[in-house]
Amino acid sequence: MAQCLICRKRAHTGSLVSHAQNHTKRKFKPNLQKVGGILVCTQCLRTLKKYQNLEKVAQTEKSE
């Protein structure tokens, strides 16, 4: 299962509820982007860009 390499955010399950209160299964997927060869959620991407640490994180994740 795909997940963010920084905050470990991944898909969660829940119910889609219609107006008639019919419940069906669904998944809530995070918005993952591939940046520098790693998967990062958009919230972590914004934080990394703010502090300009994206290059450092990409290098450490590839070396591990």
Side-chain angles (χ1 to χ4, degrees), residues 11-46:
H12 291 272
T13 58
S15 294
L16 182 70
V17 182
S18 69
H19 184 68
Q21 296 300 306
N22 296 329
H23 293 257
T24 55
K25 298 282 184 180
R26 67 159 292 183
K27 280 193 172 182
F28 295 93
K29 297 179 183 176
N31 189 0
L32 297 176
Q33 304 294 320
K34 194 169 199 175
V35 179
I38 62 171
L39 282 176
V40 182
C41 68
T42 52
Q43 291 176 349
C44 291
L45 184 63
R46 287 181 64 184

Side-chain angles (χ1 to χ4, degrees), residues 2 10 20 26 35 39 47 56 61 63:
R10 57 185 176 170
R26 67 159 292 183
V35 179
L39 282 176
T47 304
K56 294 178 186 176
E61 291 296 332
S63 64

